[in-house]
Amino acid sequence: MNEYDSNRVYDLTNKIDYFKAENLNEANLYVLNTCHIREKATDKVYHDIGRVKKQFRKKKKPIILVIGCVAQAEGDILLKKEKYIDAVIGPQSYHKINEIILDLEKKQNPINYTEFDVIEKFDSLNSIKNSCNKISSFLTIQEGCNKFCKFCVVPYTRGAEYSRSFKELIIEAKQIVNNGAKEITLLGQNVNAYNFEGKKLSDLIYEISKINDLQRIRYTTSHPKDFTQDLISAHKDCEKLMPLIHLPVQSGSNKILEAMNRKHTIEEYQKIIDKLNKVNSSIKFSSDFIIGYPGETLEDFKQTKKLIKNVKYINSYSFIFSARPGTPAFTLKKISQSAAKERLIGFQSIAEEIKTKYKETLIGRISSVLFENKTKEGNKYFGRDEYLNSVIVTSNESLVGKIKKVKIMRGNHNTLYGETLSNLNQNNYAA
Ligand code: SF4
């Protein structure tokens, strides 16, 4: 979502004649977009600002803006501790960035803009064309969250659930496709809670799939509670909808899910997985896990391990519980950190084993790959298959923006290497 926001900030600042600087030391405006989901986010801000300070030691300083969720959560502290920062702007106030910059050009007082003006924000953004021209582009359709999981900062930094206008989203999706996008990932903190005047995420997927040049649709991140039957059916009926679903579960134990206020049980979660597998057997899953949540016993942890073995997630993103200031879980008694670390290592080794086995099954198979760019190494092209696996192919013709059938020849943990079928056929013919 920060990538989408950064692009929109760029579109906005263009309006007052700020454009991308080639080098940091040429910049007269420095915008740092931040994420607050993990610990050390604020440290990173100070570190980054320190780097800029060093560059501008002997020159007039650029205007320094810290935007995003760290600005929202810790804006006052940032302004107090780091005088080099000119303004902090929360994620729901960045549409005011031009006003703020023009103000700062005139005067020096640090500014804190952390109001929740989400309606006003999207009203302003809707009038500015989205200039993103990536083959695979993001489109924010929903922001905020009403779920209040006890460990999470999102309801406090992004505010309550808000769904953007259906009509405006179709307009923006068409703009992005006109700019060259072949794939759109619909974004939201609770993307499947999207509801604009009764139009749901599945309605949006069907409507966007009518855009001719758009080849692939994805969405993230979903909450199990909002995984309704219409969305499940879309995975059967909409060919452009990719068969990889990121469905965070956080823990395999009902006791811990309840303690986290996740609002669903493991049985309910498993039911969604089963239904999805039933409507489309090619679907695979990825998920997020918090290891060592306060109160997690060895038995709870065993249930999490059992779950990953059952679902066989092709990607599992796991972290030790990180207490975020301002959340209800912040004050809970932590479990022993050495036990949490040990569990994380155990968990990750199972997750890796599942992933490695999965990757091995791809060798020799034909994948459908959308190529995003040419790499720095000669005629090699980078793309992703339907499951977001990275694939590299050597080709004399430009593959950017094309979907090709690729035979996977080899691979390692991060990347698969293959040859396009057209290339293979040509070589066979020549032989
Ligand atoms: S549903 Fe997701 S975004 Fe909302 S509070 Fe829970 S973890 Fe955070």
Short mmCIF file of all heavy atoms in Angstrom, two decimals, residues 291-339:
data_model
loop_
_atom_site.label_atom_id
_atom_site.label_comp_id
_atom_site.label_asym_id
_atom_site.label_seq_id
_atom_site.Cartn_x
_atom_site.Cartn_y
_atom_site.Cartn_z
N ILE A 291 4.55 -15.85 15.91
CA ILE A 291 5.03 -16.93 16.78
C ILE A 291 5.34 -16.33 18.16
O ILE A 291 5.93 -15.25 18.26
CB ILE A 291 6.32 -17.58 16.18
CG1 ILE A 291 6.08 -18.01 14.71
CG2 ILE A 291 6.81 -18.74 17.04
CD1 ILE A 291 5.06 -19.09 14.49
N GLY A 292 4.93 -17.05 19.20
CA GLY A 292 5.24 -16.60 20.57
C GLY A 292 4.34 -15.48 21.03
O GLY A 292 4.79 -14.60 21.78
N TYR A 293 3.08 -15.48 20.60
CA TYR A 293 2.12 -14.47 21.11
C TYR A 293 1.97 -14.70 22.62
O TYR A 293 2.02 -15.84 23.09
CB TYR A 293 0.78 -14.64 20.39
CG TYR A 293 -0.18 -13.50 20.67
CD1 TYR A 293 0.00 -12.27 20.05
CD2 TYR A 293 -1.24 -13.64 21.57
CE1 TYR A 293 -0.85 -11.21 20.32
CE2 TYR A 293 -2.10 -12.59 21.83
CZ TYR A 293 -1.89 -11.37 21.20
OH TYR A 293 -2.73 -10.32 21.47
N PRO A 294 1.76 -13.63 23.40
CA PRO A 294 1.61 -13.81 24.85
C PRO A 294 0.59 -14.92 25.17
O PRO A 294 -0.52 -14.91 24.63
CB PRO A 294 1.12 -12.44 25.31
CG PRO A 294 1.73 -11.49 24.34
CD PRO A 294 1.72 -12.20 23.03
N GLY A 295 1.02 -15.85 26.00
CA GLY A 295 0.13 -16.95 26.39
C GLY A 295 0.28 -18.19 25.53
O GLY A 295 -0.29 -19.23 25.83
N GLU A 296 1.08 -18.11 24.44
CA GLU A 296 1.22 -19.28 23.56
C GLU A 296 2.01 -20.38 24.28
O GLU A 296 3.14 -20.16 24.71
CB GLU A 296 1.95 -18.89 22.27
CG GLU A 296 2.05 -20.05 21.27
CD GLU A 296 3.02 -19.74 20.13
OE1 GLU A 296 4.25 -19.94 20.31
OE2 GLU A 296 2.56 -19.30 19.07
N THR A 297 1.38 -21.55 24.40
CA THR A 297 2.07 -22.69 25.01
C THR A 297 2.63 -23.56 23.88
O THR A 297 2.33 -23.35 22.70
CB THR A 297 1.10 -23.56 25.83
OG1 THR A 297 0.10 -24.03 24.91
CG2 THR A 297 0.45 -22.76 26.95
N LEU A 298 3.40 -24.57 24.30
CA LEU A 298 3.97 -25.50 23.31
C LEU A 298 2.85 -26.20 22.54
O LEU A 298 2.95 -26.44 21.34
CB LEU A 298 4.84 -26.52 24.06
CG LEU A 298 6.06 -27.02 23.31
CD1 LEU A 298 6.85 -25.89 22.68
CD2 LEU A 298 6.94 -27.82 24.25
N GLU A 299 1.74 -26.48 23.26
CA GLU A 299 0.61 -27.16 22.63
C GLU A 299 -0.02 -26.26 21.55
O GLU A 299 -0.36 -26.70 20.46
CB GLU A 299 -0.42 -27.54 23.72
CG GLU A 299 -1.62 -28.33 23.25
CD GLU A 299 -1.29 -29.51 22.34
OE1 GLU A 299 -0.32 -30.23 22.62
OE2 GLU A 299 -2.01 -29.70 21.32
N ASP A 300 -0.16 -24.94 21.88
CA ASP A 300 -0.70 -23.99 20.89
C ASP A 300 0.20 -23.97 19.66
O ASP A 300 -0.27 -23.97 18.52
CB ASP A 300 -0.75 -22.56 21.48
CG ASP A 300 -1.70 -22.47 22.67
OD1 ASP A 300 -2.79 -23.06 22.58
OD2 ASP A 300 -1.33 -21.81 23.66
N PHE A 301 1.50 -23.93 19.93
CA PHE A 301 2.46 -23.86 18.83
C PHE A 301 2.39 -25.12 17.95
O PHE A 301 2.45 -25.05 16.73
CB PHE A 301 3.88 -23.67 19.41
CG PHE A 301 4.95 -23.66 18.35
CD1 PHE A 301 4.93 -22.74 17.30
CD2 PHE A 301 5.98 -24.59 18.39
CE1 PHE A 301 5.91 -22.75 16.32
CE2 PHE A 301 6.96 -24.60 17.41
CZ PHE A 301 6.93 -23.68 16.37
N LYS A 302 2.19 -26.28 18.61
CA LYS A 302 2.07 -27.54 17.85
C LYS A 302 0.91 -27.44 16.86
O LYS A 302 0.97 -27.94 15.74
CB LYS A 302 1.80 -28.70 18.82
CG LYS A 302 3.06 -29.37 19.29
CD LYS A 302 2.68 -30.63 20.05
CE LYS A 302 3.85 -31.10 20.90
NZ LYS A 302 3.41 -31.96 22.00
N GLN A 303 -0.17 -26.79 17.30
CA GLN A 303 -1.34 -26.66 16.42
C GLN A 303 -1.04 -25.77 15.21
O GLN A 303 -1.56 -25.98 14.12
CB GLN A 303 -2.52 -26.14 17.21
CG GLN A 303 -3.05 -27.22 18.16
CD GLN A 303 -4.06 -26.68 19.12
OE1 GLN A 303 -4.78 -25.75 18.83
NE2 GLN A 303 -4.10 -27.29 20.31
N THR A 304 -0.18 -24.77 15.42
CA THR A 304 0.22 -23.91 14.29
C THR A 304 1.04 -24.74 13.30
O THR A 304 0.85 -24.64 12.08
CB THR A 304 1.04 -22.69 14.80
OG1 THR A 304 0.25 -22.03 15.78
CG2 THR A 304 1.37 -21.73 13.69
N LYS A 305 1.93 -25.57 13.83
CA LYS A 305 2.74 -26.42 12.95
C LYS A 305 1.85 -27.40 12.18
O LYS A 305 2.05 -27.64 10.99
CB LYS A 305 3.79 -27.19 13.76
CG LYS A 305 4.90 -26.29 14.29
CD LYS A 305 6.12 -27.07 14.74
CE LYS A 305 5.85 -27.81 16.02
NZ LYS A 305 7.02 -28.47 16.59
N LYS A 306 0.84 -27.91 12.88
CA LYS A 306 -0.08 -28.87 12.25
C LYS A 306 -0.81 -28.19 11.08
O LYS A 306 -0.97 -28.75 10.00
CB LYS A 306 -1.09 -29.34 13.31
CG LYS A 306 -1.98 -30.47 12.86
CD LYS A 306 -2.81 -30.97 14.02
CE LYS A 306 -4.12 -31.51 13.51
NZ LYS A 306 -5.19 -31.46 14.48
N LEU A 307 -1.20 -26.93 11.32
CA LEU A 307 -1.93 -26.20 10.28
C LEU A 307 -1.08 -26.02 9.02
O LEU A 307 -1.56 -26.23 7.90
CB LEU A 307 -2.37 -24.83 10.82
CG LEU A 307 -3.11 -23.96 9.82
CD1 LEU A 307 -4.54 -24.46 9.61
CD2 LEU A 307 -3.15 -22.50 10.27
N ILE A 308 0.19 -25.61 9.19
CA ILE A 308 0.97 -25.37 7.96
C ILE A 308 1.23 -26.67 7.20
O ILE A 308 1.29 -26.68 5.99
CB ILE A 308 2.29 -24.57 8.16
CG1 ILE A 308 3.25 -25.21 9.12
CG2 ILE A 308 2.04 -23.13 8.49
CD1 ILE A 308 4.65 -24.60 8.97
N LYS A 309 1.33 -27.75 7.95
CA LYS A 309 1.53 -29.03 7.27
C LYS A 309 0.27 -29.41 6.49
O LYS A 309 0.34 -29.99 5.41
CB LYS A 309 1.88 -30.12 8.28
CG LYS A 309 3.32 -29.99 8.79
CD LYS A 309 3.60 -31.07 9.81
CE LYS A 309 4.95 -30.85 10.47
NZ LYS A 309 5.09 -31.60 11.70
N ASN A 310 -0.90 -29.10 7.06
CA ASN A 310 -2.17 -29.42 6.38
C ASN A 310 -2.38 -28.58 5.14
O ASN A 310 -2.70 -29.10 4.08
CB ASN A 310 -3.35 -29.11 7.32
CG ASN A 310 -3.64 -30.26 8.23
OD1 ASN A 310 -3.11 -31.35 8.03
ND2 ASN A 310 -4.46 -30.02 9.23
N VAL A 311 -2.20 -27.26 5.29
CA VAL A 311 -2.54 -26.35 4.17
C VAL A 311 -1.43 -26.33 3.13
O VAL A 311 -1.67 -26.12 1.95
CB VAL A 311 -2.85 -24.92 4.69
CG1 VAL A 311 -3.18 -23.98 3.55
CG2 VAL A 311 -3.99 -24.94 5.71
N LYS A 312 -0.21 -26.58 3.56
CA LYS A 312 0.96 -26.53 2.66
C LYS A 312 1.08 -25.18 1.97
O LYS A 312 1.08 -25.09 0.73
CB LYS A 312 0.93 -27.66 1.64
CG LYS A 312 1.01 -29.04 2.23
CD LYS A 312 1.29 -30.07 1.15
CE LYS A 312 1.53 -31.44 1.72
NZ LYS A 312 0.41 -31.98 2.48
N TYR A 313 1.18 -24.14 2.77
CA TYR A 313 1.33 -22.78 2.23
C TYR A 313 2.60 -22.72 1.38
O TYR A 313 3.66 -23.18 1.83
CB TYR A 313 1.47 -21.77 3.36
CG TYR A 313 0.28 -21.71 4.28
CD1 TYR A 313 0.26 -22.42 5.47
CD2 TYR A 313 -0.83 -20.93 3.95
CE1 TYR A 313 -0.83 -22.36 6.32
CE2 TYR A 313 -1.92 -20.87 4.80
CZ TYR A 313 -1.92 -21.58 5.98
OH TYR A 313 -3.00 -21.53 6.82
N ILE A 314 2.50 -22.08 0.22
CA ILE A 314 3.72 -21.99 -0.58
C ILE A 314 4.60 -20.83 -0.11
O ILE A 314 5.77 -20.77 -0.45
CB ILE A 314 3.44 -21.92 -2.11
CG1 ILE A 314 2.64 -20.68 -2.48
CG2 ILE A 314 2.77 -23.18 -2.59
CD1 ILE A 314 2.59 -20.45 -3.98
N ASN A 315 4.03 -19.93 0.66
CA ASN A 315 4.83 -18.90 1.32
C ASN A 315 4.25 -18.63 2.69
O ASN A 315 3.05 -18.37 2.82
CB ASN A 315 4.82 -17.59 0.52
CG ASN A 315 5.85 -17.60 -0.58
OD1 ASN A 315 7.03 -17.87 -0.34
ND2 ASN A 315 5.42 -17.32 -1.79
N SER A 316 5.11 -18.69 3.71
CA SER A 316 4.67 -18.40 5.08
C SER A 316 5.53 -17.29 5.63
O SER A 316 6.76 -17.42 5.67
CB SER A 316 4.84 -19.65 5.97
OG SER A 316 4.10 -20.71 5.45
N TYR A 317 4.90 -16.19 6.01
CA TYR A 317 5.65 -15.05 6.56
C TYR A 317 5.50 -15.08 8.07
O TYR A 317 4.40 -14.87 8.58
CB TYR A 317 5.12 -13.74 5.97
CG TYR A 317 5.14 -13.77 4.45
CD1 TYR A 317 4.01 -14.13 3.72
CD2 TYR A 317 6.31 -13.48 3.77
CE1 TYR A 317 4.04 -14.18 2.34
CE2 TYR A 317 6.35 -13.53 2.37
CZ TYR A 317 5.21 -13.89 1.67
OH TYR A 317 5.25 -13.96 0.31
N SER A 318 6.60 -15.39 8.76
CA SER A 318 6.48 -15.59 10.20
C SER A 318 7.42 -14.68 10.97
O SER A 318 8.55 -14.43 10.54
CB SER A 318 6.80 -17.05 10.53
OG SER A 318 8.06 -17.40 9.98
N PHE A 319 6.93 -14.18 12.08
CA PHE A 319 7.70 -13.28 12.94
C PHE A 319 7.40 -13.61 14.39
O PHE A 319 6.30 -14.05 14.72
CB PHE A 319 7.28 -11.82 12.71
CG PHE A 319 7.47 -11.37 11.29
CD1 PHE A 319 6.41 -11.45 10.38
CD2 PHE A 319 8.69 -10.90 10.85
CE1 PHE A 319 6.58 -11.05 9.07
CE2 PHE A 319 8.87 -10.50 9.53
CZ PHE A 319 7.81 -10.57 8.64
N ILE A 320 8.37 -13.30 15.23
CA ILE A 320 8.11 -13.38 16.67
C ILE A 320 7.21 -12.20 17.02
O ILE A 320 7.34 -11.11 16.43
CB ILE A 320 9.44 -13.30 17.46
CG1 ILE A 320 10.22 -14.59 17.24
CG2 ILE A 320 9.18 -13.07 18.95
CD1 ILE A 320 11.55 -14.65 17.96
N PHE A 321 6.30 -12.40 17.95
CA PHE A 321 5.39 -11.33 18.38
C PHE A 321 6.18 -10.05 18.68
O PHE A 321 7.16 -10.08 19.42
CB PHE A 321 4.61 -11.78 19.63
CG PHE A 321 3.91 -10.66 20.31
CD1 PHE A 321 2.84 -10.02 19.70
CD2 PHE A 321 4.33 -10.21 21.57
CE1 PHE A 321 2.20 -8.96 20.32
CE2 PHE A 321 3.69 -9.17 22.20
CZ PHE A 321 2.63 -8.53 21.57
N SER A 322 5.73 -8.94 18.06
CA SER A 322 6.40 -7.66 18.26
C SER A 322 5.39 -6.71 18.90
O SER A 322 4.36 -6.39 18.29
CB SER A 322 6.84 -7.17 16.87
OG SER A 322 7.10 -5.80 16.86
N ALA A 323 5.65 -6.32 20.14
CA ALA A 323 4.67 -5.50 20.88
C ALA A 323 4.67 -4.07 20.35
O ALA A 323 5.69 -3.40 20.40
CB ALA A 323 5.01 -5.50 22.36
N ARG A 324 3.55 -3.64 19.80
CA ARG A 324 3.47 -2.32 19.21
C ARG A 324 2.82 -1.35 20.20
O ARG A 324 1.72 -1.61 20.71
CB ARG A 324 2.65 -2.33 17.90
CG ARG A 324 3.01 -3.39 16.92
CD ARG A 324 4.49 -3.41 16.54
NE ARG A 324 4.94 -2.21 15.88
CZ ARG A 324 5.96 -1.45 16.32
NH1 ARG A 324 6.62 -1.78 17.41
NH2 ARG A 324 6.31 -0.37 15.67
N PRO A 325 3.49 -0.22 20.46
CA PRO A 325 2.93 0.75 21.41
C PRO A 325 1.52 1.18 21.01
O PRO A 325 1.24 1.34 19.81
CB PRO A 325 3.89 1.94 21.30
CG PRO A 325 5.13 1.43 20.64
CD PRO A 325 4.73 0.25 19.83
N GLY A 326 0.66 1.29 21.99
CA GLY A 326 -0.71 1.76 21.72
C GLY A 326 -1.69 0.65 21.42
O GLY A 326 -2.90 0.89 21.31
N THR A 327 -1.21 -0.59 21.27
CA THR A 327 -2.14 -1.70 21.02
C THR A 327 -2.43 -2.41 22.35
O THR A 327 -1.58 -2.38 23.26
CB THR A 327 -1.54 -2.72 20.03
OG1 THR A 327 -0.34 -3.27 20.62
CG2 THR A 327 -1.21 -2.09 18.70
N PRO A 328 -3.59 -3.10 22.46
CA PRO A 328 -3.89 -3.79 23.73
C PRO A 328 -2.86 -4.84 24.10
O PRO A 328 -2.63 -5.10 25.27
CB PRO A 328 -5.26 -4.43 23.47
CG PRO A 328 -5.85 -3.66 22.34
CD PRO A 328 -4.71 -3.15 21.51
N ALA A 329 -2.21 -5.46 23.09
CA ALA A 329 -1.25 -6.53 23.39
C ALA A 329 0.08 -5.99 23.91
O ALA A 329 0.92 -6.76 24.39
CB ALA A 329 -1.01 -7.38 22.14
N PHE A 330 0.25 -4.68 23.84
CA PHE A 330 1.54 -4.07 24.23
C PHE A 330 1.90 -4.38 25.68
O PHE A 330 3.05 -4.62 26.02
CB PHE A 330 1.48 -2.56 24.00
CG PHE A 330 2.80 -1.87 24.24
CD1 PHE A 330 3.88 -2.10 23.40
CD2 PHE A 330 2.97 -0.99 25.31
CE1 PHE A 330 5.10 -1.47 23.61
CE2 PHE A 330 4.19 -0.37 25.53
CZ PHE A 330 5.26 -0.61 24.68
N THR A 331 0.88 -4.38 26.54
CA THR A 331 1.15 -4.54 27.97
C THR A 331 1.11 -6.01 28.42
O THR A 331 1.35 -6.30 29.59
CB THR A 331 0.10 -3.75 28.78
OG1 THR A 331 -1.19 -4.10 28.27
CG2 THR A 331 0.30 -2.25 28.67
N LEU A 332 0.79 -6.92 27.50
CA LEU A 332 0.68 -8.33 27.91
C LEU A 332 2.06 -8.91 28.24
O LEU A 332 3.07 -8.48 27.67
CB LEU A 332 0.04 -9.16 26.79
CG LEU A 332 -1.40 -8.82 26.43
CD1 LEU A 332 -1.87 -9.71 25.27
CD2 LEU A 332 -2.32 -9.00 27.64
N LYS A 333 2.04 -9.88 29.15
CA LYS A 333 3.32 -10.49 29.55
C LYS A 333 3.84 -11.35 28.40
O LYS A 333 3.15 -12.26 27.91
CB LYS A 333 3.08 -11.35 30.80
CG LYS A 333 4.35 -11.85 31.43
CD LYS A 333 4.03 -12.54 32.78
CE LYS A 333 5.27 -13.13 33.40
NZ LYS A 333 5.72 -14.37 32.80
N LYS A 334 5.07 -11.05 27.98
CA LYS A 334 5.65 -11.80 26.87
C LYS A 334 6.08 -13.19 27.32
O LYS A 334 6.43 -13.36 28.49
CB LYS A 334 6.89 -11.07 26.34
CG LYS A 334 6.57 -9.87 25.48
CD LYS A 334 7.86 -9.35 24.89
CE LYS A 334 7.63 -8.15 24.02
NZ LYS A 334 8.87 -7.60 23.50
N ILE A 335 6.09 -14.13 26.37
CA ILE A 335 6.65 -15.44 26.74
C ILE A 335 8.17 -15.33 26.65
O ILE A 335 8.69 -14.36 26.09
CB ILE A 335 6.12 -16.59 25.83
CG1 ILE A 335 6.67 -16.48 24.40
CG2 ILE A 335 4.61 -16.64 25.81
CD1 ILE A 335 6.61 -17.81 23.66
N SER A 336 8.87 -16.33 27.16
CA SER A 336 10.35 -16.27 27.13
C SER A 336 10.82 -16.07 25.68
O SER A 336 10.38 -16.78 24.77
CB SER A 336 10.90 -17.58 27.71
OG SER A 336 11.94 -18.07 26.93
N GLN A 337 11.72 -15.11 25.49
CA GLN A 337 12.15 -14.79 24.13
C GLN A 337 13.01 -15.90 23.53
O GLN A 337 12.99 -16.12 22.33
CB GLN A 337 12.89 -13.44 24.10
CG GLN A 337 11.93 -12.27 24.27
CD GLN A 337 10.73 -12.29 23.32
OE1 GLN A 337 10.85 -11.91 22.17
NE2 GLN A 337 9.58 -12.75 23.78
N SER A 338 13.72 -16.62 24.39
CA SER A 338 14.51 -17.73 23.84
C SER A 338 13.58 -18.84 23.35
O SER A 338 13.80 -19.45 22.30
CB SER A 338 15.53 -18.24 24.84
OG SER A 338 14.87 -18.66 25.99
N ALA A 339 12.48 -19.08 24.10
CA ALA A 339 11.51 -20.09 23.66
C ALA A 339 10.85 -19.64 22.35
O ALA A 339 10.68 -20.44 21.42
CB ALA A 339 10.44 -20.31 24.72
#
